[in-house]
Amino acid sequence: MSELMNDQENLDMYDSTDSNENSTVERCLTFESGDLILYISTKHVIEIINNHTITTLPLVAPYIKGIINLRGQVLPVIDLELRMGKGCINSDEKTCIIILDINSVSLGILVDSVRQVVDINLKNVRPIPLKRQQKLLDGMVIMDDGSVFMSIDCQALSSTDE
Amino acid sequence: MDNGMESMLDTYLFETNSLLDNLDEMLVKDEKLGDFSSDDVNEIFRIMHTIKGSSAMMEFGSLSSIAHHIEDLFFYIRDKGIDSLSSQHKKELFNLMFRSEDCLRGQVEKVESGEPLDTNMDAFASEINNFLKKISNAPTDASADAKALADTAKTDSSASAPSSEGNLPEDPGAVCFIHIFLDEGIGMENLRAFMIINALKECELDFRYYPEHMESNPDSCATIIEDGFYMAFDSEDTAAKAGDLLRTQNHIRSYELMTASGPEPEPAPVAPAPAPVADTAGQPAPAPHPEPAPKAPTPAKQAPATPVKQNLISVNLMKLDDLQAIVGEIVITESMVTSAPELNQLSRDAYDNFMKSARQLRKLTDDLQDIAMSLRMVPISGVFQKMNRIVRDMKQKLGKDVRLTLIGEDTEIDKTIVDSIQDPIMHMVRNAMDHGIEDDVNDRIRAGKNAQGEIVLSASHTSGEVMITISDDGQGMDPDKLLAKARERGILTKPESEYSRKEALGLVMLPGFSTNQTVTEFSGRGVGMDVVKKNVESVGGVVSLSSELGKGTTFLMKIPLTLAIMDGMKVTVGSSIFTIPIANIRQSFKIQTDEIIRDENGSEMVERMGSFYPIVRLHRFYNIDTEITNLEDGILMWIESSDRSFCLFVDDLIGEQQVVVKPLPVFLNSFELKNYGVGGCTILGDGNISIILDVPSLYTATLENI
């Protein structure tokens, strides 16, 4: 929790220093998956749910956790950690599903925990220097407190080819 | 194009298409009889008139002009009576009409796809005109008059104006009349006239008008073009006022104030609409006497028919889909509510009361579901009627004499299914015409069959399914020839001698199989029956065929009534719940270990009713963890789909339930689960999701691709 508070302060600082610039700021939801802090633009986020029963599907890639029934709509759920080729998420009470709408493809991503919404200046986003190593990330941004947020490649997320 | 225009266009297309369907049906029927009935002549005239009017309104010039010419043609035919045409002419007329129908349809299709219309229709129009000239010249004595009449009807209304002065309508109360002529070629004259009359009535003038009922009687149009129309006034003052008002109205070429010189002795326009026609036609040509007879009843028949209120509306299919989806949700939510665990905390009385209301609700939702389903049901006759046309066209091109018999046209079936089985049926009918029926009539006669071939298209309901059969009494299929052909194509999967008769016939449904040596215009592209099979299976149906050499071939399609809702059996495997369509289930049973038979690979089989069936362990195929791995502990479901039959091993049965079928999210398409037995999913009463198994693809995935 203290970490969260810190972030909040940093964020405020960040805001005050950069707000004068003519910048492209986007509101983003940050969340944790594995040991990474990731963010995704809030324009893609529909809602965050937890404690949902996931129906597993046979014969799909392991990172597809299954499908859920969200008020009559059937949505696929992806385990983000598995999608990035790491171990699977240990479910606990902080685990939740973020429902996204990427170019009218609806899907849920299973993440360790959700942090908060921050404004991120897209000008500060740097490409990841390691070429063709990443499956799902397409940028990184360093915050004023030195923590690094990674950007999720929405296109890669909404397609199933690896 | 704005919204209003768009919906008008929708309505226009819907109307025009149904009119053309109507026309098609009529033409095919009449051609069989070799004659037009006078009712049909009137009907065609009316159809063309409506198409002309609405096309002109939508500014589709080419459509309007073709319809206009056909209207002229039928005006003449109606006038002279269809009997005045020789049989040769009738034949030509049928061909001409079929071609005009195709031409109109072509234009309508262009409108539908948003392409520009053909602007130049003169060639076709002059063809119609030539035919009109031909038939109007042919009848012996009445030729000149008839031609003159046809011309008169078309354009020359001024010539008939003087003669019509004497045609004052019979109205003893009237003091004076106003006789009005409309501008030439404005279209929908009767309605324009009526609008003028309405405008005058709105100014609180009291008068009567002739022809009566012009607004609802499209026939009056011709009369108004030719003779203008009358307004009868009780006083000269009103007539004068009306005269002033008429100057402000559009589309009036001329009008004339006339005083009534007492009751007119001339009996002419008693029944205003047909009378002037009967008058002019009857006098110079006494020869075709029988024609007034059929003509007389027609106006009487049409008059009561037109004011019938339209009780049908056309609804966008999308809206029905939405309705269906919502009704499905309601059904699910209802069972979620009624099976909520919180209900157990209610007192006994309260619980009873609740259940009483819940039962009431269940009944209502069931009714709602039935109605929502029935909205999507359409009779299959639309598809069947189209086959009439195909048989007719092919009959002429192939020179085979074949009749098409339709049975059970009024069988109702889900709209989306109808759309997807139209092409398969068309294909099979073409195949029957092309390959089924013998090329040489003598072959038929030698085989002791009727010289005229027959194709029977029938539809009937069985529980939850529609059976459609297409059978011909042609030469049938030769299994040996089929096998030889399949060998040539290299699509045999086992030694020829091992093919049973049924399997050999089934070869025609394999991709790349076409028995015709040469590709014809109608069939034999080698993408035939396998596509048919695929299409039918995509709507959950099955195709099978039986054929006897020399006797004919029968294709049988079994198609579910609807795709959206089906009866399913819920089974568990581990923690997953699967739904198997009830239609696919033959039996469920438990077995003892000693009943299991194994082959050299250890694949398990079981004997049921004298045949052996493979056992598919669902938990193994889908890699699901379950405690029940011993065949004795679980349940075997004997399932089949067309010719594929096997036993599925599951943990347990939960029960039967009607389920609303939902597709899997498109995101998962790349996994091609459809090819691995997953047909879709459904939401259960408790909000959980169950996977619906697709039996044919499950069979293919588990037993054919090892």
Side-chain angles (χ1 to χ4, degrees), chain B residues 425-472:
Chain B
I425 292 181
M426 188 163 13
H427 199 94
M428 286 190 262
V429 169
R430 281 181 174 166
N431 270 344
M433 281 296 289
D434 207 4
H435 311 313
I437 304 291
E438 291 87 345
D439 289 328
D440 190 351
V441 182
N442 294 326
D443 287 348
R444 289 186 62 85
I445 296 167
R446 240 174 279 138
K449 286 190 262 192
N450 197 334
Q452 187 182 46
E454 184 175 28
I455 295 175
V456 180
L457 198 52
S458 84
S460 63
H461 269 172
T462 60
S463 63
E465 278 185 334
V466 175
M467 316 254 279
I468 297 170
T469 60
I470 296 118
S471 54
D472 63 69

Coordinates of all heavy atoms in Angstrom, one line a residue, chain B residues 425-472:
Chain B
I425 N -30.4 -26.8 -52.4 CA -31.5 -27.4 -53.1 C -31.4 -27.1 -54.6 O -31.6 -28.0 -55.4 CB -32.8 -26.8 -52.5 CG1 -33.0 -27.3 -51.1 CG2 -34.0 -27.3 -53.4 CD1 -34.3 -26.8 -50.5
M426 N -31.1 -25.9 -54.9 CA -31.0 -25.5 -56.3 C -29.9 -26.4 -57.0 O -30.2 -26.9 -58.1 CB -30.5 -24.1 -56.4 CG -30.6 -23.6 -57.8 SD -30.5 -21.8 -58.1 CE -30.1 -21.0 -56.6
H427 N -28.9 -26.7 -56.3 CA -27.8 -27.5 -56.9 C -28.3 -28.9 -57.2 O -28.0 -29.5 -58.2 CB -26.6 -27.5 -56.0 CG -25.4 -27.9 -56.7 ND1 -24.5 -27.0 -57.3 CD2 -24.9 -29.2 -57.0 CE1 -23.5 -27.7 -57.8 NE2 -23.7 -29.0 -57.7
M428 N -29.0 -29.4 -56.2 CA -29.5 -30.8 -56.4 C -30.5 -30.9 -57.5 O -30.6 -31.9 -58.2 CB -30.0 -31.3 -55.0 CG -28.8 -31.6 -54.1 SD -29.3 -32.5 -52.6 CE -29.5 -31.2 -51.5
V429 N -31.4 -29.9 -57.5 CA -32.4 -30.0 -58.6 C -31.7 -29.9 -60.0 O -32.0 -30.6 -60.9 CB -33.4 -28.8 -58.5 CG1 -34.3 -28.7 -59.7 CG2 -34.3 -29.0 -57.2
R430 N -30.7 -29.1 -60.1 CA -29.9 -29.0 -61.3 C -29.3 -30.3 -61.6 O -29.3 -30.8 -62.8 CB -28.9 -27.9 -61.2 CG -29.4 -26.5 -61.4 CD -28.3 -25.5 -61.3 NE -28.8 -24.2 -61.6 CZ -28.2 -23.1 -61.3 NH1 -27.0 -23.2 -60.8 NH2 -28.7 -21.9 -61.6
N431 N -28.7 -30.9 -60.6 CA -28.0 -32.2 -60.8 C -29.1 -33.2 -61.3 O -28.8 -34.0 -62.3 CB -27.4 -32.7 -59.5 CG -26.0 -32.3 -59.4 OD1 -25.4 -31.8 -60.3 ND2 -25.5 -32.3 -58.2
A432 N -30.2 -33.2 -60.7 CA -31.3 -34.2 -61.1 C -31.6 -33.9 -62.5 O -31.8 -34.9 -63.3 CB -32.5 -34.0 -60.2
M433 N -31.8 -32.7 -62.9 CA -32.2 -32.4 -64.3 C -31.1 -32.8 -65.3 O -31.3 -33.4 -66.3 CB -32.4 -30.8 -64.5 CG -33.6 -30.3 -64.0 SD -35.1 -30.9 -64.9 CE -34.9 -30.1 -66.5
D434 N -29.8 -32.4 -64.9 CA -28.7 -32.6 -65.8 C -28.3 -34.1 -65.9 O -28.1 -34.6 -67.0 CB -27.6 -31.7 -65.3 CG -26.7 -31.3 -66.5 OD1 -27.0 -31.7 -67.6 OD2 -25.7 -30.6 -66.2
H435 N -28.0 -34.7 -64.7 CA -27.5 -36.0 -64.7 C -28.5 -37.1 -64.4 O -28.4 -38.2 -64.9 CB -26.4 -36.2 -63.6 CG -25.4 -35.1 -63.7 ND1 -24.8 -34.7 -64.8 CD2 -24.9 -34.3 -62.7 CE1 -23.9 -33.7 -64.5 NE2 -24.0 -33.4 -63.2
G436 N -29.5 -36.7 -63.6 CA -30.5 -37.7 -63.2 C -31.4 -38.2 -64.3 O -31.4 -39.4 -64.7
I437 N -32.1 -37.3 -64.9 CA -33.0 -37.6 -66.0 C -32.3 -38.0 -67.2 O -31.3 -37.3 -67.6 CB -34.0 -36.4 -66.2 CG1 -34.7 -36.0 -65.0 CG2 -35.0 -36.8 -67.3 CD1 -35.7 -36.9 -64.4
E438 N -32.7 -39.0 -67.9 CA -32.1 -39.6 -69.1 C -32.0 -38.5 -70.2 O -33.0 -37.7 -70.3 CB -32.8 -40.8 -69.6 CG -32.7 -42.0 -68.7 CD -33.8 -42.1 -67.7 OE1 -34.4 -41.0 -67.4 OE2 -34.0 -43.1 -67.0
D439 N -30.9 -38.5 -70.9 CA -30.8 -37.6 -72.0 C -31.7 -37.9 -73.1 O -32.2 -37.0 -73.8 CB -29.3 -37.6 -72.5 CG -28.4 -36.9 -71.5 OD1 -28.8 -36.0 -70.8 OD2 -27.2 -37.4 -71.5
D440 N -31.9 -39.2 -73.3 CA -32.7 -39.6 -74.5 C -34.1 -40.1 -74.0 O -34.1 -41.0 -73.1 CB -32.0 -40.7 -75.2 CG -32.6 -41.0 -76.5 OD1 -33.7 -40.5 -76.7 OD2 -32.0 -41.8 -77.3
V441 N -35.1 -39.6 -74.5 CA -36.5 -40.0 -74.1 C -36.7 -41.5 -74.3 O -37.3 -42.2 -73.6 CB -37.5 -39.2 -74.8 CG1 -38.9 -39.5 -74.4 CG2 -37.3 -37.7 -74.7
N442 N -36.1 -42.0 -75.4 CA -36.3 -43.4 -75.8 C -35.8 -44.3 -74.7 O -36.3 -45.4 -74.5 CB -35.6 -43.7 -77.1 CG -36.3 -42.9 -78.2 OD1 -37.5 -42.7 -78.2 ND2 -35.5 -42.4 -79.2
D443 N -34.7 -43.9 -74.1 CA -34.1 -44.7 -73.0 C -35.2 -44.8 -71.9 O -35.3 -45.9 -71.3 CB -32.9 -44.0 -72.3 CG -31.7 -44.1 -73.2 OD1 -31.8 -44.9 -74.2 OD2 -30.7 -43.4 -73.0
R444 N -35.9 -43.8 -71.6 CA -37.0 -43.8 -70.6 C -38.1 -44.8 -71.0 O -38.5 -45.6 -70.3 CB -37.6 -42.5 -70.4 CG -36.6 -41.5 -69.7 CD -37.4 -40.2 -69.3 NE -38.5 -40.5 -68.4 CZ -38.4 -40.5 -67.1 NH1 -37.2 -40.3 -66.5 NH2 -39.4 -40.7 -66.3
I445 N -38.5 -44.6 -72.3 CA -39.6 -45.4 -72.8 C -39.2 -46.9 -72.7 O -40.0 -47.8 -72.3 CB -40.0 -45.0 -74.2 CG1 -40.5 -43.6 -74.1 CG2 -41.1 -45.9 -74.7 CD1 -40.7 -42.9 -75.4
R446 N -37.9 -47.2 -73.2 CA -37.4 -48.5 -73.2 C -37.5 -49.1 -71.7 O -37.7 -50.3 -71.5 CB -36.0 -48.6 -73.7 CG -36.0 -49.5 -75.0 CD -34.6 -49.4 -75.6 NE -34.4 -48.2 -76.4 CZ -33.4 -47.4 -76.4 NH1 -32.4 -47.7 -75.6 NH2 -33.3 -46.4 -77.2
A447 N -37.1 -48.3 -70.8 CA -37.1 -48.8 -69.4 C -38.5 -48.9 -68.8 O -38.6 -49.1 -67.6 CB -36.2 -47.8 -68.6
G448 N -39.5 -48.6 -69.6 CA -40.9 -48.7 -69.2 C -41.3 -47.6 -68.3 O -42.2 -47.7 -67.5
K449 N -40.6 -46.4 -68.5 CA -41.0 -45.3 -67.6 C -41.8 -44.3 -68.5 O -41.8 -44.3 -69.7 CB -39.8 -44.6 -67.1 CG -39.1 -45.4 -66.0 CD -38.0 -44.5 -65.3 CE -36.7 -44.9 -65.9 NZ -35.6 -44.4 -65.1
N450 N -42.5 -43.4 -67.8 CA -43.2 -42.4 -68.4 C -42.3 -41.5 -69.2 O -41.1 -41.3 -68.8 CB -43.9 -41.5 -67.4 CG -45.0 -40.7 -67.9 OD1 -45.0 -40.3 -69.1 ND2 -46.0 -40.4 -67.1
A451 N -42.7 -41.1 -70.4 CA -41.7 -40.3 -71.3 C -41.4 -39.0 -70.6 O -40.3 -38.5 -70.7 CB -42.4 -40.0 -72.6
Q452 N -42.3 -38.5 -69.8 CA -42.0 -37.2 -69.1 C -41.3 -37.6 -67.8 O -41.8 -38.3 -67.0 CB -43.3 -36.4 -68.8 CG -43.0 -35.1 -68.2 CD -44.3 -34.3 -67.9 OE1 -45.2 -34.9 -67.4 NE2 -44.3 -33.1 -68.3
G453 N -40.1 -37.0 -67.6 CA -39.4 -37.2 -66.3 C -40.1 -36.5 -65.2 O -40.9 -35.6 -65.4
E454 N -39.8 -36.9 -64.0 CA -40.4 -36.2 -62.8 C -39.4 -36.0 -61.8 O -38.6 -36.9 -61.4 CB -41.6 -37.1 -62.3 CG -42.3 -36.3 -61.1 CD -43.5 -37.0 -60.6 OE1 -43.5 -38.3 -60.7 OE2 -44.4 -36.3 -60.1
I455 N -39.4 -34.8 -61.2 CA -38.6 -34.5 -60.1 C -39.5 -34.1 -59.0 O -40.4 -33.2 -59.2 CB -37.6 -33.3 -60.4 CG1 -36.6 -33.8 -61.4 CG2 -36.9 -32.9 -59.1 CD1 -35.6 -32.7 -61.9
V456 N -39.4 -34.8 -57.8 CA -40.3 -34.5 -56.7 C -39.5 -33.8 -55.6 O -38.4 -34.2 -55.2 CB -40.9 -35.8 -56.2 CG1 -41.8 -35.4 -55.0 CG2 -41.6 -36.5 -57.2
L457 N -40.0 -32.6 -55.2 CA -39.3 -31.9 -54.2 C -40.3 -31.8 -53.0 O -41.4 -31.3 -53.2 CB -39.1 -30.4 -54.7 CG -38.1 -29.5 -54.1 CD1 -36.8 -30.2 -53.9 CD2 -38.0 -28.3 -54.9
S458 N -39.9 -32.4 -51.9 CA -40.9 -32.4 -50.8 C -40.3 -32.0 -49.5 O -39.1 -32.2 -49.3 CB -41.6 -33.8 -50.7 OG -40.8 -34.7 -49.9
A459 N -41.1 -31.4 -48.7 CA -40.7 -31.0 -47.4 C -41.7 -31.5 -46.4 O -42.9 -31.4 -46.6 CB -40.5 -29.5 -47.3
S460 N -41.2 -31.9 -45.2 CA -42.2 -32.3 -44.2 C -41.5 -32.2 -42.8 O -40.3 -32.1 -42.7 CB -42.6 -33.7 -44.4 OG -41.5 -34.6 -44.2
H461 N -42.3 -32.0 -41.8 CA -41.8 -31.9 -40.4 C -41.8 -33.2 -39.7 O -42.7 -34.0 -39.8 CB -42.9 -31.0 -39.6 CG -42.6 -29.6 -39.7 ND1 -43.4 -28.7 -39.2 CD2 -41.5 -28.9 -40.2 CE1 -42.9 -27.5 -39.3 NE2 -41.8 -27.6 -40.0
T462 N -40.7 -33.4 -39.1 CA -40.7 -34.5 -38.0 C -40.3 -33.7 -36.8 O -40.1 -32.5 -36.9 CB -39.7 -35.6 -38.3 OG1 -38.4 -34.9 -38.4 CG2 -39.9 -36.2 -39.6
S463 N -40.3 -34.3 -35.6 CA -40.1 -33.6 -34.4 C -38.8 -32.9 -34.5 O -37.7 -33.5 -34.5 CB -40.2 -34.5 -33.2 OG -39.1 -35.4 -33.3
G464 N -38.8 -31.5 -34.4 CA -37.6 -30.7 -34.3 C -36.8 -30.7 -35.6 O -35.7 -30.1 -35.6
E465 N -37.2 -31.4 -36.6 CA -36.5 -31.4 -37.8 C -37.3 -31.2 -39.1 O -38.5 -31.5 -39.0 CB -35.7 -32.8 -38.0 CG -34.5 -32.9 -37.2 CD -33.7 -34.2 -37.5 OE1 -34.4 -35.1 -37.9 OE2 -32.5 -34.2 -37.3
V466 N -36.7 -30.8 -40.1 CA -37.4 -30.7 -41.4 C -36.7 -31.7 -42.3 O -35.5 -31.7 -42.4 CB -37.4 -29.3 -42.0 CG1 -38.0 -29.3 -43.3 CG2 -38.2 -28.3 -41.0
M467 N -37.5 -32.5 -43.0 CA -36.9 -33.4 -44.0 C -37.2 -32.8 -45.4 O -38.4 -32.6 -45.7 CB -37.6 -34.8 -43.9 CG -37.8 -35.3 -42.5 SD -36.6 -36.5 -42.2 CE -37.4 -37.9 -42.9
I468 N -36.2 -32.7 -46.2 CA -36.4 -32.2 -47.5 C -35.9 -33.3 -48.4 O -34.7 -33.7 -48.3 CB -35.7 -30.9 -47.8 CG1 -36.3 -29.8 -46.9 CG2 -35.8 -30.5 -49.2 CD1 -35.6 -28.6 -46.9
T469 N -36.7 -33.8 -49.3 CA -36.2 -34.8 -50.3 C -36.2 -34.2 -51.7 O -37.2 -33.5 -52.1 CB -37.0 -36.1 -50.2 OG1 -38.3 -35.8 -50.6 CG2 -36.9 -36.7 -48.9
I470 N -35.3 -34.6 -52.5 CA -35.2 -34.2 -53.9 C -35.1 -35.6 -54.6 O -34.0 -36.2 -54.5 CB -34.1 -33.3 -54.2 CG1 -34.3 -32.0 -53.5 CG2 -34.0 -33.0 -55.7 CD1 -33.2 -31.7 -52.6
S471 N -36.1 -36.0 -55.3 CA -35.9 -37.3 -55.9 C -36.3 -37.2 -57.4 O -37.2 -36.4 -57.8 CB -36.8 -38.4 -55.3 OG -38.1 -38.0 -55.2
D472 N -35.6 -37.9 -58.2 CA -35.9 -38.0 -59.7 C -36.1 -39.4 -60.1 O -35.7 -40.3 -59.4 CB -34.8 -37.3 -60.5 CG -33.5 -38.1 -60.4 OD1 -33.4 -39.2 -60.9 OD2 -32.5 -37.5 -59.8

